[in-house]
Each structure stands twice: as structure tokens, then as C-alpha cells.
């Protein structure tokens, strides 16, 4: 990939918060999915290439707005990424508005089953600057590499927009200025079964997370996808991909 000419030596900081409701109830994927994304960004797996970012996963369980503000200010991310499910669109919209209020110059990237299924409609509704479809490990690294530390203003650069819109499954909606779709935006990149087996448990990211959140339950991921292909669900995209328990 050809990086934007203004690319700095500093690696961007990518914040991956787990979204939960004001009542503390989990509303989204478990942290393990975000830890896998963090591992992909931090170069844990040879398949995806070298480290392209410093990533931090946080859990909002039991936290109020002031706590969230403190976490975001402490990490000071260049990019924030969240997962959106079909039933969490309104909550995601509120959180994205909050993130943009706290750090107006930090782009918000959205992915997950909801974006994979509903595409530009859900990206526009939630107000995310960028949406990407499919398995996050395949696209997020490229998105982060292109944007780097340039922020929202960088997203308005035609060269950066062009590179982003050439990626499969990427949709732009920079600060609600209108949805822009590339010729490959309807593609849904997925990891094949062999690639899933090459992705190891994100041990270092898990240790970092549980050092900060020692009371959280441990989660494992033994498969991706679903053998069914129901028209109303995105879980069947890419088919069912499992891995042996020994891995």
C-alpha cells in the first residue's frame, strides 16, 4: 500500500472501546473481538504484516460520561473504532456523538455485524466518519495506515479519500457531509478458514486488558461465521470457519 505523502514516523493511537449501556449492561461484542483487532494492528500475526498502530481496548461497563471522557483524554487517540450491532445503533450513535464532542479532531471508524449487514444506511445513521464491512483484521489495518495521525482534516484530503475508497467494503461519511461509496464498497472481505486458523489468541493484548480490568470474565473465540445464510443476518457471510481446540 502507498501511504499518504504526509505520513509521519509516529504510529497512530487507536482506541477500541467496548460499548455498553448507561445501566452497565453489555450491548455489543465481548472484548475479545476488540482484542483480536488490537493484535492485528500491533503486528502480532505475520500474516497481516508489521505493527501499524498502538491500540488500547477499554470497557465501559459501569462507567459514566465523566469516566469515558477521562479514558479518552488519557489515551488521546488519533482514531477511535467501535463495533455496531443491529440492536445497538441508537447507543452507538450516542457514543459517537460523545466521542466527537470530547475530541472533535479524532475520526470515528465503525465496523461489526451491523455495518456489514446494513452498510451506508447504518454508517449515516450512527454518524461515524468511516464504516467498513467484513472481518476487521483485513480492512482496519489499511484504513489506519492511510489515515495515520492526520485526523478529521486529513480525511477531507482528496488523496486520502481516494485511497480509502479503493479499499473493499469501505464507506465514507466524514462528519455527516454525505455518504461516499467506492466501487468496491459492496464487497465484504472475509478471512478464509485457513487464515482463521493462523490467527492465534491475542495473549499480550489480553494480559494488558486484564491488568486494567481484572474483574472481567475471560472470553475465547473458537469460530467465526455461521453455517446458515439467512437473508436477515450477516453472520453467514463468509461461511462457518472453526478452529481446532488445540489451537
Amino acid at each position: 500500500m502507498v501511504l499518504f505523502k504526509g505520513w509521519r514516523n509516529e504510529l497512530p493511537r487507536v482506541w477500541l472501546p467496548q460499548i455498553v449501556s448507561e445501566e452497565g449492561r453489555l450491548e455489543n461484542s465481548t472484548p475479545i473481538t476488540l482484542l483480536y483487532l488490537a493484535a492485528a494492528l500491533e503486528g502480532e500475526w505475520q500474516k497481516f504484516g508489521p505493527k501499524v498502530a498502538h491500540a488500547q481496548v477499554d470497557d465501559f461497563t459501569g462507567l459514566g460520561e465523566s469516566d469515558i471522557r477521562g479514558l479518552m483524554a488519557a489515551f488521546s487517540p488519533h482514531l477511535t473504532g467501535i463495533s455496531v450491532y443491529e440492536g445497538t445503533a441508537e447507543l452507538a450513535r450516542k457514543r459517537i456523538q460523545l466521542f466527537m464532542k470530547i475530541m472533535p479532531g479524532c475520526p470515528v471508524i465503525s465496523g461489526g455485524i451491523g455495518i456489514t449487514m446494513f452498510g451506508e444506511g447504518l454508517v449515516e445513521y450512527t454518524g461515524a466518519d468511516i464504516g467498513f464491512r467484513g472481518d476487521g483484521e483485513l480492512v482496519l489495518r489499511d484504513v489506519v495506515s492511510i489515515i495515520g495521525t492526520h485526523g478529521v482534516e486529513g480525511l477531507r484530503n482528496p488523496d486520502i479519500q481516494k485511497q480509502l475508497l479503493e479499499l473493499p467494503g469501505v464507506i465514507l461519511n466524514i462528519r455527516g457531509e454525505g455518504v461516499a461509496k467506492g466501487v468496491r464498497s459492496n464487497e465484504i472481505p472475509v478471512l478464509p478458514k485457513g487464515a482463521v486458523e493462523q490467527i492465534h489468541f491475542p495473549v499480550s493484548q489480553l494480559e494488558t486488558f486484564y491488568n486494567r480490568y481484572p474483574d472481567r470474565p475471560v472470553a475465547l473465540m473458537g469460530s467465526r461465521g455461521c453455517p446458515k445464510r439467512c437473508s436477515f443476518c450477516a453472520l453467514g457471510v463468509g461461511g462457518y470457519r472453526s478452529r481446532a481446540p488445540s489451537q
Side-chain angles (χ1 to χ4, degrees), residues 21-87:
S21 71
E22 290 82 355
E23 295 79 22
R25 182 167 59 89
L26 294 183
E27 292 284 355
N28 206 350
S29 59
T30 57
I32 193 65
T33 61
L34 299 178
L35 294 170
Y36 272 89
L37 290 178
L41 292 173
E42 294 187 330
E44 287 293 308
W45 304 306
Q46 185 176 1
K47 176 179 178 58
F48 295 108
K51 183 173 183 175
V52 297
H54 303 289
Q56 178 170 303
V57 177
D58 276 307
D59 188 334
F60 288 174
T61 303
L63 302 185
E65 181 176 325
S66 61
D67 301 309
I68 294 172
R69 286 178 175 272
L71 284 173
M72 192 172 194
F75 186 57
S76 189
H78 296 101
L79 298 152
T80 295
I82 69 168
S83 292
V84 182
Y85 279 42
E86 296 95 325

Side-chain angles (χ1 to χ4, degrees), residues 199-218:
I199 297 178
H200 306 297
F201 194 69
V203 175
S204 61
Q205 286 74 22
L206 188 74
E207 289 178 348
T208 299
F209 179 82
Y210 283 112
N211 282 336
R212 302 178 67 235
Y213 301 95
D215 60 336
R216 300 298 191 266
V218 176

